[in-house]
Amino acid sequence: MQGILDKIDTHYQSKLPFVIYAAPNSETLQAFFQRNAILESFSGQSGFVFAPFSNSEKYILSEKQCDFFEATIKEKKNTDSTFQKEETDLLVKNDFEDLVKRSVDAILEGQFQKVVVSRKVNLAVSINFKNTFLKLVMQYKTAFRYLFFHPEIGMWMGATPEQLLKIEGTIINTVALAGTQLYSDTLVWEAKEIQEQQFVTDFITNEIKPFVEEIKLSEPYTAKAGTLAHIKTNIEATLINTELAKELLYKMHPTPAVCGLPKKEAMEFVLKEEGYDRKFYSGFLGEWNRNEASNLFVNLRCMEIEEKQINLYVGCGITKDSIPEKEFYETENKLATMLKISTTFITYCNQFYLL
């Protein structure tokens, strides 16, 4: 159904909000097209929520204000492309490694156990956001993929591997995801990465205890996300009362996977030391309270799209054992995921068709 792509064009030209997205391992595109440009607050409504890292105001494309569409996307053929990355900017590398050093020093001083620091990369380039999104949908099938626009927020696109919270009736599911390596069949996790992931697991289970019963944890396992691998634990529990769902969400976000532990102290350090505004990077997004179900994801592997540039965001978890140069190259590996998508200037329209 070509109409869903045409509607993206008309909505964007009219400066009206929309979101188009695909759940992990799904070829179904779903879309909300808001009929006005009102910036709705996230308060007891259902629809598609888009929230920043700082746990401040959250916004929603309300079902009551939107038209909803679905389409199925299929790939006609595979076209491989390569991107030659520019040499590392030593000033950027040194600045980030200095941030990691300050983070480790703060941990050794007892300010917190873990902190997640990040950086923003600006590329002076214009992209065809619709074609880029279609390529992203097909290349990162195991991720939650989205394209979001609101005239007061801007345009964001991403392919995130991390579930924040899924609610179906009284059953909740979430994951503890941390640690990053380039994927290989022989990879080995170091003690620092195992500890980092355990912090996330412990935090989530402790935060949800007042709201749930019958908590079940999987064993930690290696999860592939594109060319990267992470340590992952699946967590399932039963809500004591469904009316507690929003309070539970606020308790969970931001998790140690994107902020640190303890949360308050790590958040204060991030806001003071990172030197830039994360905006919606490492916030959360997804369906909220639709048909008694919610499906939210952490906004990772994302880009902010402006008229003549794109802004990419990458981060990594820091513990007392972190090595600054190694952490920098972890962010480089994560950056490659979005660079591979955003810097390819071939037109991909002929690769896809919608049903």
Side-chain angles (χ1 to χ4, degrees), residues 34-53:
Q34 191 165 302
R35 295 184 291 271
N36 56 53
I38 296 173
L39 190 59
E40 296 272 3
S41 179
F42 177 48
S43 55
Q45 300 192 62
S46 62
F48 191 97
V49 65
F50 199 66
F53 162 73

Side-chain angles (χ1 to χ4, degrees), residues 4 9 77 136 333:
I4 198 170
D9 289 330
K77 60 182 180 179
L136 180 146
N333 291 335

